[in-house]
Amino acid sequence: QVQVQESGPGLVKPSETLSLTCTVSGGSISRSSYYWGWIRQPPGKGLEWIGSIYYSGTTYNNPSLKSRVTLSVDTSKNQVSLRLSSVTAADTAVFYCARHSTWFGSNDYWGQGILVTVSS
Amino acid sequence: QSVLTQPPSVSAAPGQKVTISCSGSSSNIANNFVSWYQQFPGTAPKLLIHENTKRPSGIPDRFSGSKSGTSATLGITGLQTGDEAVYYCGAWDNSLSGGWVFGGGTKLTVL
């Protein structure tokens, strides 16, 4: 059974860079046919996709965030990472890591999420 | 403003049936799979329906999905109080501003 766990600081200062890691267990992140993505949810609001990365390093990014987002993968650690630069209070959200297929059938495995608050 | 459009709320009595609609466009629902997610307060979304109509293992057959053109529908029969949650639809969008897009969520109340 694939398990997904997000980790990182819960508090980031405005204008700084948010850095999160997603650790996958119970399955290899290098398994073909699956991307690993980041989705965020501001408090009380809906879901917003941030971007996705394949084990080879190929990425898809949300154009509205693209200039601030860096995705990376470390297959040796079975991890993917997210960096979001120049954060503001509007970036406060629960950040989820989730797996989706290359045929975009669904986001099937999700982490529990991590709340990141942007505040001085 | 979400790319996919869902009603903000629906309600029905225990044992009854409810449907939740999800409206999109040719760049998302019409040409890609639709998935549905259930979210309880303080927890991560959980996959209910994938590839328009398929249920993952462990999801009861009270939950069903359908798609026609640029719209999709989630159906829930035999409503239980434990079904009270927020439901989201999602699909991949092929447009230049694309990627995964979601509906704004529908709050289901079981009266």
Side-chain angles (χ1 to χ4, degrees), chain A residues 4 13 44 46 57 72 94:
Chain A
V4 183
K13 290 182 168 57
S72 60
V94 176

Side-chain angles (χ1 to χ4, degrees), chain B residues 71-85:
Chain B
S71 295
T73 301
L74 173 69
I76 311 173
T77 60
L79 276 172
Q80 303 173 0
T81 55
D83 295 331
E84 277 207 356

Side-chain angles (χ1 to χ4, degrees), chain A residues 45-72:
Chain A
K45 296 188 178 180
L47 303 169
E48 180 185 29
W49 173 74
I50 298 170
S52 303
I53 188 166
Y54 199 56
Y55 73 92
S56 63
T58 300
T59 59
Y60 287 105
N61 289 284
N62 185 329
S64 69
L65 298 170
K66 184 176 181 178
S67 62
R68 297 197 291 134
V69 170
T70 303
L71 302 179
S72 60

Side-chain angles (χ1 to χ4, degrees), chain B residues 19 22 30 36 39-40 44 46 50 54 59 73-74 81 91 95 99 103:
Chain B
T19 60
C22 176
W36 290 91
Q39 187 178 35
F40 296 107
K46 173 184 176 182
H50 64 100
K54 300 178 181 179
I59 301 299
T73 301
L74 173 69
T81 55
S95 68

Side-chain angles (χ1 to χ4, degrees), chain A residues 27-47:
Chain A
S28 172
I29 207 167
S30 301
R31 181 179 174 184
S32 62
S33 302
Y34 291 99
Y35 277 80
W36 294 89
W38 292 92
I39 295 165
R40 68 179 180 178
Q41 185 173 36
K45 296 188 178 180
L47 303 169

Side-chain angles (χ1 to χ4, degrees), chain A residues 41 49 96 100 103 105 107 111, chain B residues 37 39 43-44 51 88 92 99-100:
Chain A
Q41 185 173 36
W49 173 74
Y96 296 102
H100 70 83
W103 60 93
N107 289 275
Chain B
Y37 306 87
Q39 187 178 35
T43 68
E51 296 176 33
Y88 292 93
W92 184 262
W100 279 102

Side-chain angles (χ1 to χ4, degrees), chain A:
Chain A
Q1 178 76 349
V2 173
Q3 293 187 313
V4 183
Q5 179 72 56
E6 304 88 351
S7 60
L11 180 65
V12 180
K13 290 182 168 57
S15 79
E16 295 190 344
T17 296
L18 177 161
S19 296
L20 297 176
T21 298
C22 170
T23 302
V24 178
S25 57
S28 172
I29 207 167
S30 301
R31 181 179 174 184
S32 62
S33 302
Y34 291 99
Y35 277 80
W36 294 89
W38 292 92
I39 295 165
R40 68 179 180 178
Q41 185 173 36
K45 296 188 178 180
L47 303 169
E48 180 185 29
W49 173 74
I50 298 170
S52 303
I53 188 166
Y54 199 56
Y55 73 92
S56 63
T58 300
T59 59
Y60 287 105
N61 289 284
N62 185 329
S64 69
L65 298 170
K66 184 176 181 178
S67 62
R68 297 197 291 134
V69 170
T70 303
L71 302 179
S72 60
V73 59
D74 187 334
T75 55
S76 67
K77 295 182 179 179
N78 231 32
Q79 293 178 336
V80 295
S81 296
L82 165 71
R83 288 171 57 87
L84 179 66
S85 64
S86 304
V87 296
T88 69
D91 293 309
T92 293
V94 176
F95 286 75
Y96 296 102
C97 178
R99 186 184 83 166
H100 70 83
S101 56
T102 54
W103 60 93
F104 310 113
S106 67
N107 289 275
D108 56 358
Y109 288 100
W110 296 65
Q112 65 184 26
I114 182 169
L115 173 62
V116 180
T117 301
V118 179
S119 175
S120 55

